[in-house]
């Protein structure tokens, strides 16, 4: 069991490391967001008396890159199915749960690494962590976000036969999860409609926790963020493991 | 290791037994009440036109697909009840690719060895040996995406040997390969059968290949076995001179489905039933 989890995890890491365009592409996007949004909206934000927008935005962009990377790594199961490799893992004498867990952990690790790189890049934009503790707590939230969306991606991929639904998932799931999470704007004083939607978005709690850890600008209590995220990780992992166990070729 | 000799007592042992095996996809009966028994240590060829149900049978034998009805015993193990135990005893080369292109040949093999619980200190030796069997030892560090179709096929065969299976399933192992590679692959397979007493269950559309390598042949059409026996038995029964003629006589001369390859059909099916 542990061997299977380990090789699945390792494979995910190797694949990620070897696809340089993905690594670079995964960095270009957060940089663009930090540069365009951070610099562009900074003056307006400051004029509204909210302080430094870049400080506010950085945790949101880290969460964004983790969300995207983790989801893609989970959804990669469809590629494995299409290119045939999935058969090799499913016919091996190991449990589906082990395969699913290995893949989740691999995808999450890759996503956290990506998040750490963005965190380092944000130093260029003037971010200074308050303490080692705040970075460590930030890592906890980054890990939770990564686990949540890696397992979520696998759950979705288990129900998809091919890549045709991918655009749908991108536009109707990943984008809304990101834009409605409070990654880009503060949660205080929102109009009711969008306020309600943000409370239903799982990423909201991840972003809020990460922001609280890194900058102290949280909306909910960190304990609530931690509890919600941990519970969601457990639920999606269970659902993902169940759906993956039902995959037929 | 583990090879069984081709011996009198081995002729008695059966390696694969299927009884009343059936698979339905909605209204379509892909496999229709098939029963067969493959003695240990033989080369068994499963022949049939496109869409006859060969791959579906192999997927059920190898626990990848749940039969609608029927039982399968593999090396004395009930496949439905103990899939994990059964899986350790067979190797499989699928009809379509199942390698990870982004990993090297060695990494693909190592991945397999870990999944099958090959002890760490044994892994490298076994992998090198299997790579040598298919003449790929000097390409072990290369990414699989740089391999030709024939090399990929050989690598898949090598991979299926790493856990020392007693039974080897080969679903069209030589389709799309040049004559040299095909001959080379069959020589390896024959050798594995002879030296290790490995039971070989194969499908192919090349009748002369089946004729050259198989001890027993079963012909399947529309999900049913229409004939079974040694090559000379089949020729005698159909009063024909070659296996190809016997095959055509037994399965008729009309073409099944479109001309598209089965991989294309799989893709098409996926598009039609998302
Ligand atoms: N997942 C599936 N859903 C629906 N029908 C299927 C599925 N898999 C196979 N079939 C059908 O079952 C029948 C048998 O298919 P199978 O792949 O076993 O044929 P085959 O003998 O291996 O053919 P080929 O020589 O072309 O590989 C075909 O009619 C095929 O269309
Ligand atoms: Mg087939």
């Amino acid at each position: 069991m542990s061997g299977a989890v380990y090789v699945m995890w390792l494979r995910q890491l190797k694949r990620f490391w070897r696809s340089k365009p993905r690594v670079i592409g995964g960095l270009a996007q957060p940089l663009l967001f930090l540069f365009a949004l951070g610099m562009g909206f900074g003056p307006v934000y400051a004029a509204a008396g909210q302080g430094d927008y870049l400080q506010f935005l950085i945790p949101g962009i880290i969460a964004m890159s983790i969300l995207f990377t983790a989801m893609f790594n989970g959804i990669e199961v469809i590629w494995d199915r299409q290119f045939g490799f999935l058969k090799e893992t499913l016919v091996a004498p190991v449990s589906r749960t082990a395969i699913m867990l290995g893949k989740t952990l691999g995808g999450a690790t890759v996503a956290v690494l990506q998040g750490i790189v963005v965190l380092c890049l944000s130093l260029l934009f003037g971010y200074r962590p308050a303490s080692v503790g705040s970075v460590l707590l930030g890592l906890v939230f980054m890990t939770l976000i990564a686990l949540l969306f890696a397992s979520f991606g696998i759950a979705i991929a288990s129900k998809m036969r091919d890549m045709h639904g991918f655009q749908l998932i991108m536009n109707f799931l990943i984008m809304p999860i990101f834009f409605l999470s409070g990654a880009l704007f503060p949660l205080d004083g929102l109009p009711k409609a969008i306020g309600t939607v943000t409370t239903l978005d799982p990423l909201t709690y991840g972003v809020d926790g990460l922001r609280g850890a890194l900058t102290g600008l949280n909306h909910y209590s960190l304990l609530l963020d931690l509890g919600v995220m941990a519970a969601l990780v457990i639920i999606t992992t269970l659902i993902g493991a169940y759906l993956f166990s039902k995959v037929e070729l | 290791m583990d090879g069984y000799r081709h011996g009198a007592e081995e002729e008695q042992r059966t390696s694969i037994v299927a009884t009343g095996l059936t698979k339905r996809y909605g209204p379509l009966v892909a496999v229709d009440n098939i029963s067969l028994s493959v003695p240990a240590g033989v080369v068994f060829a499963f022949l049939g036109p496109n869409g006859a149900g060969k791959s579906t049978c192999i997927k059920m034998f190898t626990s990848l697909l749940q039969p609608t009805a029927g039982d399968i015993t593999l090396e004395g193990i009930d496949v439905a009840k103990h899939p994990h135990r059964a899986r350790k005893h067979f190797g499989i080369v699928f009809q379509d690719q199942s390698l990870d292109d982004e990993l090297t040949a060695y990494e693909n093999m190592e991945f397999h060895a870990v999944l099958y619980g090959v002890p760490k200190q044994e892994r490298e030796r076994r992998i090198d040996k299997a790579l040598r069997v298919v003449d790929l030892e000097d390409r072990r560090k290369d990414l699989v995406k740089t391999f030709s179709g024939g090399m990929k096929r050989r690598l898949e065969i090598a991979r299926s040997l790493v856990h020392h299976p007693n039974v080897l399933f080969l679903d069209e192992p030589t389709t799309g390969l040049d004559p040299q590679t095909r001959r080379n692959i069959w020589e390896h397979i024959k050798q594995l059968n002879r030296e290790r007493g490995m039971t070989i269950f194969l499908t192919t559309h090349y009748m002369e290949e089946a004729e050259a390598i198989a001890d027993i042949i079963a012909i399947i059409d529309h999900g049913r076995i229409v004939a079974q026996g040694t090559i000379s038995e089949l020729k005698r029964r159909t009063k024909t001179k070659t296996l190809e003629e016997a095959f055509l006589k037994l399965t008729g001369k009309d073409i099944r489905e479109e001309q598209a390859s089965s991989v294309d059909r799989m893709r098409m099916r996926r598009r039609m039933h998302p």
Side-chain angles (χ1 to χ4, degrees):
Chain A
M1 164 106 185
S2 58
V5 174
Y6 171 70
V7 281
M8 288 304 293
W9 173 83
L10 190 63
R11 166 171 182 258
Q12 213 72 14
L13 255 67
K14 282 183 175 161
R15 283 177 68 90
F16 183 73
W17 183 243
R18 281 174 196 169
S19 58
K20 293 285 182 290
R22 248 167 80 182
V23 178
I24 294 164
L27 292 180
Q29 195 186 21
L31 271 176
L32 180 65
F33 270 69
L34 283 177
F35 185 71
L37 294 181
M39 307 277 186
F41 283 120
V44 188
Y45 197 79
Q50 295 276 355
D52 185 351
Y53 184 53
L54 254 173
Q55 290 288 319
F56 177 87
L57 184 65
I58 282 164
I61 299 306
I62 294 172
M64 173 192 81
S65 77
I66 295 175
L67 164 74
F68 279 55
T69 314
M71 274 294 247
F72 282 132
N73 269 273
I75 289 177
E76 221 183 32
V77 171
I78 303 171
W79 270 254
D80 286 350
R81 187 206 284 264
Q82 201 112 356
F83 295 118
F85 188 73
L86 191 64
K87 290 191 293 274
E88 154 76 359
T89 50
L90 296 190
V91 81
V94 292
S95 72
R96 295 269 183 112
T97 312
I99 294 170
M100 187 274 176
L101 282 181
K103 219 168 160 59
T104 304
L105 291 175
T109 306
V110 164
V112 169
L113 288 175
Q114 188 91 344
I116 290 173
V117 175
V118 177
L119 181 66
C120 295
L121 285 176
S122 67
L123 297 173
L124 299 175
F125 288 82
Y127 168 70
R128 293 290 172 268
S131 64
V132 178
S134 91
V135 175
L136 289 180
L137 186 58
L139 278 177
V140 171
F141 279 103
M142 285 160 70
T143 307
L144 288 171
I145 298 171
L147 288 171
L148 172 58
F149 291 106
S151 54
F152 190 44
I154 293 175
I156 293 171
S158 302
K159 294 302 274 179
M160 281 171 59
R161 295 297 290 175
D162 53 33
M163 262 121 50
H164 298 294
F166 189 71
Q167 279 306 317
L168 232 57
I169 289 175
M170 190 67 197
N171 290 316
F172 287 93
L173 215 56
I174 304 183
M175 286 303 184
I177 285 175
F178 167 56
F179 281 108
L180 301 170
S181 66
L184 301 177
F185 49 78
L187 297 173
D188 323 283
L190 289 176
K192 193 152 180 1
I194 190 162
T196 312
V197 177
T198 54
T199 58
L200 297 176
D201 184 340
L203 186 61
T204 299
Y205 304 92
V207 169
D208 192 60
L210 183 58
R211 185 172 286 139
L214 293 182
T215 65
L217 296 168
N218 42 313
H219 178 81
Y220 302 107
S221 81
L222 286 187
L223 219 54
L224 176 87
D225 291 330
L226 201 64
V228 171
M229 287 302 286
L232 286 172
V233 166
I234 293 168
I235 293 169
T236 51
T237 305
L238 290 175
I239 294 176
Y242 172 77
L243 293 178
F244 189 71
S245 77
K246 297 284 166 215
V247 168
E248 279 218 335
L249 290 167
Chain B
M1 109 145 242
D2 11 309
Y4 303 102
R5 298 271 112 198
H6 234 352
E9 78 282 8
E10 282 307 327
E11 303 296 316
Q12 311 303 319
R13 218 166 60 85
T14 49
S15 185
I16 310 165
V17 185
T19 36
L21 196 60
T22 301
K23 180 72 192 179
R24 287 200 195 88
Y25 288 110
L28 175 86
V29 187
V31 174
D32 191 0
N33 196 18
I34 278 185
S35 297
L36 59 79
S37 144
V38 179
V42 307
V43 179
F44 188 97
F46 206 37
L47 310 178
N50 288 139
K54 303 180 297 295
S55 298
T56 307
C57 277
I58 289 190
K59 282 183 193 156
M60 290 192 282
F61 291 152
T62 55
S63 77
L64 272 175
L65 203 59
Q66 207 69 33
T68 312
D71 295 307
I72 302 156
T73 313
L74 206 140
E75 295 286 300
I77 302 163
D78 184 325
V79 172
K81 283 206 194 95
H82 307 288
H84 288 258
R85 256 184 38 222
R87 285 169 183 182
K88 283 192 193 284
H89 292 286
F90 65 78
I92 177 164
V93 175
F94 295 99
Q95 183 169 354
D96 36 52
Q97 237 246 92
S98 65
L99 296 163
D100 187 339
D101 272 352
E102 301 289 335
L103 296 183
T104 65
Y106 191 85
E107 285 169 339
N108 266 285
M109 304 278 281
E110 198 176 27
F111 183 90
H112 183 94
V114 175
L115 285 189
Y116 282 77
V118 177
K120 197 175 167 87
Q121 60 276 18
E122 285 250 342
R123 267 178 228 155
E124 193 169 348
R125 195 181 55 79
R126 285 209 205 174
I127 293 172
D128 285 343
K129 191 167 161 214
L131 285 174
R132 227 173 305 126
V133 169
V134 297
D135 299 324
L136 280 175
E137 69 268 42
D138 49 333
R139 300 297 302 265
R140 65 210 288 271
K141 290 209 176 86
D142 294 341
L143 289 181
V144 170
K145 66 178 167 197
T146 67
F147 282 20
S148 74
M151 287 162 69
K152 286 184 185 172
R153 217 57 184 141
R154 270 149 53 206
L155 181 60
E156 286 181 309
I157 292 171
R159 184 179 64 179
S160 70
L161 302 175
V162 167
H163 59 286
H164 292 172
N166 301 334
V167 186
L168 186 58
F169 290 96
L170 300 161
D171 198 352
E172 297 189 29
T174 53
T175 298
L177 304 182
D178 63 35
Q180 290 86 342
T181 312
R182 268 156 52 192
R183 168 170 303 195
N184 178 282
I185 284 180
W186 288 125
E187 268 166 18
H188 289 319
I189 290 167
K190 194 73 210 166
Q191 192 182 350
L192 287 167
N193 169 253
R194 247 195 336 261
E195 289 176 4
R196 304 188 188 177
M198 199 182 277
T199 310
I200 312 280
F201 188 104
L202 64 93
T203 77
T204 177
H205 288 298
Y206 302 112
M207 294 302 139
E208 60 303 342
E209 292 187 349
E211 194 155 4
I213 193 175
D215 301 314
I216 308 178
I217 288 187
I219 294 178
I220 174 175
D221 197 9
H222 300 296
R224 293 188 188 183
I225 292 184
V226 292
Q228 190 173 343
T230 63
I231 292 161
S232 46
E233 276 167 12
L234 290 182
K235 285 192 217 163
R236 202 174 331 118
R237 204 175 321 155
T238 51
K239 302 195 178 57
T240 49
K241 280 199 210 55
T242 64
L243 182 61
E244 180 147 347
E245 284 170 28
F247 179 85
L248 289 172
K249 200 155 182 178
L250 285 160
T251 56
K253 289 201 169 152
D254 48 320
I255 292 171
R256 308 306 153 89
E257 315 219 325
E258 354 50 37
Q259 292 285 36
S261 79
S262 59
V263 179
D264 291 339
R265 284 193 291 110
M266 287 238 300
R267 302 267 145 78
M268 219 143 70
R269 211 149 54 216
R270 283 187 193 134
R271 277 200 290 275
M272 287 183 322
H273 309 278

